[in-house]
């Protein structure tokens, strides 16, 4: 679904909302403006009154399976058990969650590695603290005549404005692509369905399903399989929250990673929330998303298998920073590597699959 909303790319063009799994109306947007310093008295599962500390979290898109762990943690009262009153706000095509984070409208958000680096280079005091996905779900989707990713050269490539500063520069450098072949992706699969010469961006758990439902047989290329180093669905927090509320950040991560583990055992309760928040979501789309997350090891694969769900490694973060700076996507002097992330919280969590 290619949802990155970085500071350099606030506006995303939307047209033709039909036939696309990830262009959904923002029904029942959750609030993100409850003051974080307020405490609310709520009963715990054991029946005792405890002060729950508000903690506002903002996703990167409308409610979907790719957010299942967060909604499951909420449904299972895992956040409350950790002493947190978590509000989960939805992102969307016209919501810049980095701007909301900068405006203190959330403690943490779902973000993207390069968007985080860009934001830091522009003066934001934020850090990545974990990654829900061990690889990015970003894909290129081609018609069935394209048998390998090398064959995308010469095709018309549909890329959103946000992704032009995310994975596209890496793709361009790796496969010697021509910018003249790139046109805007408008979050509709209709152009792809109408033109065999088009290759479009997507999320492996979303657009391929919509295209298949529309009757086409796409070939899908997961960018992480070809060397793109970014994590997926990273959790980005304000530095002042990290400094002043470290126990709450750790508690949020512990509950979230257990939520992901629970979601893959039985996601019924989380899915009920997803359907309520996003009425256009279907069970078929959720089932497909869960299948792709399991099949590709997004949550349980990679380092997460042995180090715990949500883990990020210093080596991997260094690789991402090196890619961003070497391609001149980010000024490394304005976004130094040591300001990019911290592993101190997720290293303590260790929720194994």
């Amino acid at each position: 679904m290619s949802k990155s909303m970085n500071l350099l790319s606030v506006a995303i063009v939307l047209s033709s909302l039909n036939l696309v799994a990830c262009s959904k109306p923002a029904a029942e947007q959750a609030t993100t403006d409850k003051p974080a310093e307020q405490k609310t008295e709520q009963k715990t599962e054991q029946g005792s009154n405890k002060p729950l500390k508000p903690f506002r979290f903002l996703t990167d898109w409308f409610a979907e399976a790719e957010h299942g762990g967060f909604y499951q943690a909420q449904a299972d009262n895992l956040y409350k058990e950790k002493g947190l009153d978590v509000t989960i706000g939805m992102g969307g095509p016209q919501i810049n969650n980095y701007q909301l984070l900068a405006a203190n409208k959330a403690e943490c958000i779902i973000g993207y590695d390069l968007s985080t680096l860009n934001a830091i280079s522009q003066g934001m005091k934020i850090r990545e603290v974990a990654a829900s996905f061990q690889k990015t779900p970003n894909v290129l989707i081609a018609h069935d005549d394209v048998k390998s990713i090398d064959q995308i050269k010469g095709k018309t490539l549909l890329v959103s404005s946000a992704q032009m500063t995310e994975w596209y520069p890496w793709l361009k450098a790796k496969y010697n692509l021509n910018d003249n072949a790139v046109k805007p992706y408008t979050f509709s699969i209709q152009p792809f369905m109408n033109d065999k010469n088009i290759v479009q961006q997507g999320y492996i758990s979303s657009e391929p399903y919509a295209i298949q439902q529309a009757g086409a047989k796409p070939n899908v290329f997961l960018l992480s399989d070809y060397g793109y180093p970014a994590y997926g669905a990273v959790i980005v927090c304000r530095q002042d929250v990290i400094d002043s509320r470290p126990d709450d950040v750790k508690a949020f991560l512990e509950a979230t990673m257990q939520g992901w583990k629970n979601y893959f055992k039985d996601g019924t309760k989380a899915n009920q929330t997803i359907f309520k928040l996003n009425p256009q979501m279907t069970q078929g789309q959720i089932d497909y998303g869960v299948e792709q997350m399991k099949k590709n090891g997004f949550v349980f694969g990679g380092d997460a298998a042995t180090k715990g769900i949500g883990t990020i490694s210093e080596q991997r973060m260094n690789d991402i920073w090196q890619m961003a700076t070497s391609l001149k996507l980010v000024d490394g002097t304005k976004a130094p590597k040591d300001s990019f992330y911290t592993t101190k919280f997720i290293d303590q969590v260790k929720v194994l699959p």
Side-chain angles (χ1 to χ4, degrees):
M1 68 202 68
S2 305
K3 304 168 290 191
S4 174
M5 305 292 291
N6 62 38
L7 291 175
L8 299 179
S9 307
V10 178
I12 289 184
V13 180
L14 280 181
S15 65
S16 302
L17 291 180
N18 61 312
L19 285 177
V20 58
C22 56
S23 296
K24 318 172 188 93
E28 301 189 35
Q29 285 278 27
T31 181
T32 60
D33 58 4
K34 180 163 58 174
E37 63 272 11
Q38 292 181 0
K39 294 183 179 181
T40 56
E41 294 285 339
Q42 296 193 21
K43 287 190 175 183
T44 65
E45 297 260 338
Q46 292 73 31
S48 61
N49 288 321
K50 288 185 178 181
L52 299 180
K53 291 176 283 187
F55 196 97
R56 301 160 302 176
F57 181 71
L58 183 62
T59 71
D60 57 343
W61 203 252
F62 308 138
E64 57 192 350
E66 292 89 332
H67 305 144
F70 302 98
Y71 291 118
Q72 192 70 41
Q74 194 172 54
D76 288 343
N77 291 318
L78 300 181
Y79 294 128
K80 289 182 179 179
E81 290 173 6
K82 295 291 185 181
L84 299 178
D85 178 17
V86 173
T87 300
I88 302 176
M90 291 193 297
Q94 297 179 8
I95 295 177
N96 187 317
N97 49 8
Y98 282 88
Q99 287 185 340
L100 292 173
L101 190 64
N104 293 347
K105 296 296 185 180
E107 276 60 68
C108 301
I109 64 170
I110 291 180
Y112 299 81
D113 294 316
L114 280 119
S115 295
T116 300
L117 284 168
N118 274 318
I120 292 170
S121 73
Q122 295 181 35
M124 282 188 66
K125 304 298 183 183
I126 58 177
R127 284 180 194 264
E128 295 187 359
V129 297
S132 297
F133 300 157
Q134 289 299 299
K135 59 179 81 170
T136 176
N138 286 109
V139 295
L140 291 178
I141 306 168
H143 289 274
D144 54 9
D145 62 311
V146 178
K147 304 301 183 184
S148 72
I149 195 170
D150 307 79
Q151 295 175 345
I152 65 173
K153 192 171 183 179
K155 299 288 186 179
T156 298
L157 182 59
L158 302 186
V159 182
S160 70
S161 58
Q163 298 305 322
M164 289 297 291
T165 56
E166 289 279 344
W167 51 259
Y168 174 73
W170 165 85
L171 187 76
K172 175 184 174 181
K174 187 175 179 70
Y175 295 101
N176 193 29
L177 301 181
N178 189 328
D179 288 342
N180 293 330
V182 179
K183 293 184 178 180
Y185 177 54
T186 60
F187 294 88
S188 168
I189 64 169
Q190 199 62 57
F192 180 89
M193 298 300 297
N194 292 338
D195 188 346
K196 292 277 289 184
N197 195 53
I198 281 180
V199 174
Q200 72 157 66
Q201 70 175 54
Y203 245 38
I204 196 168
S205 49
S206 186
E207 277 91 345
Y209 176 79
I211 289 170
Q212 290 171 20
Q213 293 297 105
K217 296 181 179 179
N219 283 336
V220 180
F221 305 99
L222 187 63
L223 297 184
S224 61
D225 288 345
Y226 298 90
Y228 186 59
Y231 284 107
V234 295
I235 298 175
V236 186
C237 300
R238 302 193 329 252
Q239 186 64 50
D240 66 294
V241 175
I242 290 172
D243 293 338
S244 65
R245 303 177 63 184
D247 291 343
D248 294 344
V249 173
K250 180 185 174 185
F252 177 77
L253 294 181
E254 285 177 334
T256 296
M257 302 318 157
Q258 185 62 48
W260 274 114
K261 187 171 182 176
N262 292 1
Y263 183 67
F264 285 118
K265 288 181 179 177
D266 182 359
T268 302
K269 290 187 289 185
N271 292 341
Q272 289 173 348
T273 300
I274 292 170
F275 290 135
K276 180 180 178 181
L277 293 172
N278 185 3
Q280 289 196 18
M281 180 58 62
T282 67
Q283 187 64 56
Q285 177 67 72
I286 284 183
D287 292 344
Y288 184 84
V290 169
E291 176 189 359
Q292 292 301 316
M293 285 189 283
K294 289 181 176 180
K295 177 182 176 181
N296 291 283
F298 288 137
V299 178
F300 293 165
D303 289 336
T306 56
K307 296 182 179 179
I309 303 167
T311 192
I312 55 176
S313 73
E314 291 188 8
Q315 181 59 58
R316 182 85 167 272
M317 299 303 283
N318 179 65
D319 291 345
I320 295 165
W321 185 86
Q322 291 287 355
M323 175 197 68
T325 54
S326 65
L327 291 175
K328 302 188 185 305
L329 303 178
V330 175
D331 184 342
T333 64
K334 294 181 179 179
K337 185 168 47 180
D338 61 4
S339 70
F340 179 24
Y341 68 96
T342 178
T343 65
K344 69 178 182 180
F345 298 110
I346 199 63
D347 284 349
Q348 300 176 61
V349 171
K350 294 199 179 296
V351 176
L352 293 173

